[in-house]
Amino acid sequence: MTTAILVIFCLVYLGMILGGLPFLQLDRTGIALLGAIALIGIEAVTPEQAAQSIHLPTLILLFSFMVVSAQMRLGGFYGWVTRVLAALPLSPPLLLAALIVVAAALSAVFSNDIVCLAVTPVLIEACLARRLDPVPYLLALACAANVGSAATLIGNPQNMLIGETLKLSFGAYSAQALAPVLLGLAVTWALVAWQTRGRWEQASALTDEAASERRDDAPFDRWQTAKGLSVATALLAVFLFVPSWPRDVAALTGAGLLLMSRRLHSTKMLGLVDWELLILFIGLFVVNHALQETGIAAGIVADLATAGVNLEEPAPLFAATLVLSNVVSNVPAVMLLLPIAEHALAGPTLALVSTLSGNLLVVGSIANIIVVAAAARRGIRIDWKRHARTGVPVTLATLAICAIALW
């Protein structure tokens, strides 16, 4: 049975690396779910054990903030903010700086993926209207969203998982992450501005093709936006000042309040929930639990420690998080490393490094993929080389700042 579990685990994580499996129409979510089903099917885990392996507080927190973000999208908030920002009488470098600050702040609360999904189309439209090349701004949006989301324990899915599993203090983590995040944003602006110097204007060739794309952002609704912002602000206050109230319960309560609406149907709200991401979490919880129960993972960690690479220490954990986040993606990487995250710096190290590593390559973060795909639909090509030219130095610089801040 141990061999079967190991084979299933390896196939699942091979799928995480490749983004699919040969001859099967499966993405990462489908692979994780199929792996969990296979383990239950061969009776390596019982349905009851599978259910117990799922970390429910993380799923509840993730679902709840998806509902909050759905409220903000349906209220037209993200598009409105982007248009207001683009209308400011700022020079191109200062507009870039303003975009980075706004994207980072929104991502710290409403999740980097959602922010990129909602802001990218409007940002392209705004750049073309000002005759600016959208590419530097799109790269800055993706990088800033990733860096900004590292500032809190609700900025991205892996941070939610780390915070809920390790019971990290919301305020203490944010205080520790604030300096490297702010410095990282400054470095992001400096690098993008330096790479773009003297080439801010957009050639006219792309204008017609990009402008022909149908706008699908919701119109701005003050009342719906105010509701969403009020709930988000209240939740942040609870997380900071009422630590005795479990974050998942508080967030679920806030989501319930938003679902009680006379104008926005619950079908629309729940239709914007990323159910595939929730299923990915469920599948990986089951697969990782099965491997942990075999003792193989603990044996590998012990062997590495004997060889002088103790993953329970900060520096090796930093390196392992960086490598795994870019091999299997940040959420699976964090799930693999959480069982050995026991020292005081383990939580902040996992959260900061797994998030900042996402800027390295296009496939390192869903936020990157969202921006690149949305740009491609509007005739704006950002290939992996163009992304890496910005993403690699941003990642190396922000990780160096992170290492100094942590130690």
Side-chain angles (χ1 to χ4, degrees):
M1 187 63 73
T2 298
T3 302
I5 292 173
L6 182 60
V7 169
I8 292 172
F9 174 86
C10 290
L11 286 174
V12 168
Y13 273 82
L14 177 63
M16 296 298 109
I17 296 171
L18 300 177
L21 289 175
F23 312 113
L24 295 174
Q25 295 298 312
L26 291 171
D27 59 6
R28 287 185 172 91
T29 299
I31 293 164
L33 178 60
L34 189 60
I37 292 172
L39 289 169
I40 295 172
I42 66 173
E43 298 185 339
V45 295
T46 65
E48 291 77 15
Q49 290 171 333
Q52 291 171 1
S53 71
I54 297 168
H55 196 262
L56 195 57
T58 299
L59 291 183
I60 291 174
L61 187 64
L62 191 55
F63 165 79
S64 300
F65 270 91
M66 287 177 181
V67 172
V68 175
S69 291
Q71 173 77 27
M72 304 307 294
R73 286 182 66 187
L74 292 172
F77 173 70
Y78 299 117
W80 174 78
V81 167
T82 308
R83 282 188 286 272
V84 169
L85 178 67
L88 295 175
L90 300 174
S91 65
L94 289 180
L95 181 63
L96 182 74
L99 171 67
I100 287 173
V101 170
V102 170
L106 292 177
S107 297
V109 180
F110 299 114
S111 178
N112 54 349
D113 299 346
I114 299 297
V115 170
C116 287
L117 184 66
V119 169
T120 300
V122 186
L123 178 61
I124 292 173
E125 176 188 285
C127 286
L128 295 178
R130 291 186 57 159
R131 309 297 296 176
L132 295 173
D133 182 1
V135 174
Y137 293 93
L138 293 172
L139 291 171
L141 169 63
C143 290
N146 286 326
V147 175
S149 71
T152 69
L153 291 174
I154 57 173
N156 54 60
Q158 67 268 19
N159 279 19
M160 293 185 190
L161 173 61
I162 294 164
E164 291 302 297
T165 303
L166 300 181
K167 305 298 182 185
L168 298 181
S169 165
F170 189 90
Y173 169 79
S174 292
Q176 194 166 18
L178 188 59
V181 165
L182 291 178
L183 289 173
L185 293 173
V187 166
T188 299
W189 173 82
L191 284 169
V192 176
W194 178 76
Q195 290 181 344
T196 317
R197 62 195 186 283
R199 299 188 305 276
W200 296 99
E201 290 76 17
Q202 166 64 47
S204 60
L206 290 177
T207 303
D208 294 339
E209 183 178 357
S212 66
E213 182 76 13
R214 182 178 61 86
R215 272 179 47 187
D216 56 2
D217 57 306
F220 180 60
D221 187 315
R222 292 180 182 275
W223 170 242
Q224 299 301 335
T225 296
K227 281 176 60 180
L229 288 176
S230 298
V231 169
T233 302
L235 289 176
L236 287 176
V238 168
F239 295 164
L240 287 170
F241 304 115
V242 193
S244 59
W245 193 4
R247 288 195 287 266
D248 57 318
V249 176
L252 190 61
T253 303
L257 291 174
L258 292 177
L259 286 170
M260 292 190 300
S261 174
R262 296 178 61 188
R263 295 174 60 187
L264 293 181
H265 199 283
S266 60
T267 303
K268 291 185 177 179
M269 298 279 284
L270 296 178
L272 293 177
V273 170
D274 192 346
W275 298 104
E276 288 195 8
L277 180 59
L278 296 175
I279 293 172
L280 173 68
F281 266 73
I282 291 171
L284 289 178
F285 275 133
V286 176
V287 171
N288 286 332
H289 169 77
L291 184 73
Q292 292 293 332
E293 290 299 304
T294 65
I296 293 175
I300 292 174
V301 171
D303 290 342
L304 286 173
T306 302
V309 182
N310 188 356
L311 294 179
E312 295 180 357
E313 294 179 355
L317 182 63
F318 189 106
T321 306
L322 169 60
V323 173
L324 285 175
S325 293
N326 281 284
V327 173
V328 298
S329 187
N330 41 29
V331 169
V334 165
M335 286 191 174
L336 282 174
L337 295 170
L338 266 175
I340 58 173
E342 296 180 352
H343 55 81
L345 283 177
T349 298
L350 277 176
L352 285 167
V353 177
S354 64
T355 302
L356 298 178
S357 298
N359 281 326
L360 188 68
L361 301 171
V362 170
V363 295
S365 165
I366 298 297
N368 299 341
I369 296 173
I370 288 171
V371 170
V372 170
R377 288 195 296 272
R378 288 157 176 82
I380 300 168
R381 184 169 179 265
I382 305 176
D383 59 16
W384 71 270
K385 290 182 181 179
R386 179 63 187 90
H387 178 275
R389 201 173 81 192
T390 299
V392 170
V394 165
T395 302
L396 296 178
T398 53
L399 285 176
I401 292 169
C402 175
I404 294 170
L406 288 172
W407 292 294

